[in-house]
Amino acid sequence: MSRKPDTPLRRGWTTGACATAATRAALMGFWGEGRPDKVRITLPKGERPEFEIAHWEQGKDWVAAGVIKDAGDDPDVTHQALIISRVSASDGGVLFRAGQGVGMVTMPGLPIPAGEPAINPVPRQMMAETVSEMARRLSQAPDVEVEISIPNGEALAQKTWNPRLGIKGGLSILGTTGIVRPFSCAAWIASIHRGVDVARADGLTHVAGCTGATSEKTVKDLYSMPDHAMLDMGDFAGGMLKYIAKNPVPRVTIGGGIGKLTKLAQGARDLHSGRSQVDFVALADVLKVSDVRYMNTALQVYENVGEKFSEWVAIEALGKMQDMLPKDIQTDIIVIDRKGSILARTGT
């Protein structure tokens, strides 16, 4: 049985908050206040955290400052990454540039249009407000070019959804509150939403959500689907289907291992092992095999019952899927084993 930690999980700061802090420090140097050891910024909900400045460079007409991201106890790929902001004069207003390790948006459907640096709206707003506030205080023109970079960001981005979302060359500068809340499901579900948005914007008529890498490869190969048609559903079947119900795609496939899809078949929408379990007693009743009630895994049930079980999983999971979607969306379910072999298919 899992045990809760003895102390509360420590929260952290988003890349957007770190970029804003770095921008503030760089502006202090650029506009004559010198290099600070620490800076304080204002987050969207009014909180004012302090950040240490870990990097500093300057030239004749530019200054760059950096902050090391602390993601708290969240398993964030950008934890301990150096977020650098380089500021210089612009020809008018605040302009954003992608430096080393920050991606460029290449596909429609994201909050930032194609051709722009992958710096999301709230971080842009936070940095622009910092420029405006400091320009007023120091009697400077708020005409600044802000270039954000993350050394090693291009390699780190391969561990994120960015390549699939059409963000090329690096990471995104993200965050809506400035705060990373550890182990939150919200970030994963938000990424599923963005995947749906990108697929719709590109005119795709068929998307697939899978429970893991093996099922994803099986489904992708089966239908010769492009990479950005594959949604990183993971355990969040309900979160994906709820969003697609409001933002329809003509055809949706769910693929997964027999254990996860058994839970979907039994009505679970969150398929994580800590939040839903296979009901073996109910399975024994529906399959009319009494020994099933004493089994420990869905795979064990399949090994003993065979296709009768996998076909039941596919049919029932399809029904639960259809219950969450409009009737005009075509649906299908693909049940696989651990090697990626198809155990059952049903639907469109």
Side-chain angles (χ1 to χ4, degrees):
M1 183 175 68
S2 62
R3 184 172 62 88
K4 291 184 179 180
D6 295 328
T7 57
L9 293 172
R10 188 172 61 87
R11 66 183 186 166
W13 310 110
T14 63
T15 47
C18 295
T20 301
T23 299
R24 186 173 191 86
L27 286 170
M28 291 174 70
F30 187 62
W31 283 335
E33 289 192 307
R35 173 180 179 170
D37 293 326
K38 298 179 180 180
V39 296
R40 194 176 292 279
I41 65 170
T42 302
L43 300 182
K45 293 186 178 180
E47 189 170 347
R48 289 181 50 77
E50 190 174 60
F51 296 79
E52 291 188 8
I53 303 307
H55 173 88
W56 189 266
E57 293 179 274
Q58 61 186 102
K60 181 180 177 181
D61 54 4
W62 59 271
V63 175
V67 168
I68 294 176
K69 178 178 172 178
D70 179 0
D73 289 324
D74 192 70
D76 191 314
V77 70
T78 57
H79 180 58
Q80 296 296 299
L82 178 62
I83 316 296
I84 298 172
S85 176
R86 182 185 189 275
V87 302
S88 57
S90 77
D91 292 333
V94 179
L95 303 178
F96 293 99
R97 298 283 183 258
Q100 176 191 1
V102 171
M104 293 290 294
V105 178
T106 67
M107 295 173 63
L110 294 172
I112 299 299
E116 281 287 314
I119 302 172
N120 268 20
V122 172
R124 287 177 183 241
Q125 180 183 347
M126 291 169 63
M127 286 183 271
E129 288 175 352
T130 294
V131 170
S132 179
E133 178 264 317
M134 291 186 65
R136 286 195 303 270
R137 179 169 61 81
L138 299 173
S139 299
Q140 298 285 340
D143 302 324
V144 177
E145 180 175 298
V146 180
E147 180 185 281
I148 306 299
S149 59
I150 305 175
N152 200 40
E154 188 166 4
L156 291 174
Q158 299 306 309
K159 303 176 183 179
T160 73
W161 289 287
N162 275 18
R164 177 162 296 170
L165 296 176
I167 298 172
K168 305 297 185 182
L171 293 161
S172 301
I173 304 301
L174 301 173
T176 55
T177 65
I179 300 169
V180 174
R181 302 193 182 280
F183 301 101
S184 170
C185 299
W188 191 311
I189 292 174
S191 294
I192 295 172
H193 293 179
R194 298 295 76 78
V196 175
D197 293 343
V198 166
R200 281 167 48 88
D202 198 42
L204 295 186
T205 59
H206 185 191
V207 298
C210 298
T211 60
T214 302
S215 55
E216 179 176 287
K217 184 179 186 306
T218 299
V219 172
K220 184 180 179 183
D221 291 349
L222 179 67
Y223 292 122
S224 300
M225 300 176 77
D227 196 49
H228 61 293
M230 309 305 294
L231 308 175
D232 287 284
M233 181 186 78
D235 293 320
F236 301 105
M240 182 189 76
L241 294 173
K242 183 177 179 180
Y243 192 74
I244 291 175
K246 295 179 179 178
N247 302 273
V249 179
R251 181 178 177 185
V252 183
T253 297
I254 285 182
I258 195 165
K260 298 280 189 184
L261 294 191
T262 297
K263 291 191 280 187
L264 178 61
Q266 291 187 318
R269 296 183 177 184
D270 184 336
L271 310 181
H272 190 276
S273 59
R275 296 184 288 270
S276 61
Q277 298 292 329
V278 173
D279 185 339
F280 292 97
V281 173
L283 277 184
D285 290 342
V286 76
L287 296 173
K288 296 181 170 52
V289 180
S290 60
D291 287 349
V292 166
R293 71 181 58 232
Y294 306 112
M295 294 181 184
N296 297 312
T297 67
L299 184 59
Q300 184 182 7
V301 177
Y302 175 74
E303 289 170 347
N304 283 270
V305 178
E307 290 183 5
K308 177 182 178 181
F309 173 49
S310 58
E311 290 175 359
W312 177 88
V313 170
I315 292 168
E316 292 298 314
L318 182 70
K320 300 301 188 296
M321 182 182 180
Q322 291 172 336
D323 287 345
M324 294 190 65
L325 294 174
K327 301 301 182 186
D328 58 344
I329 292 181
Q330 300 178 36
T331 53
D332 61 315
I333 291 282
I334 300 176
V335 185
I336 68 159
D337 65 13
R338 291 177 178 174
K339 295 180 180 180
S341 299
I342 296 174
L343 303 180
R345 290 174 64 186
T346 193
T348 303

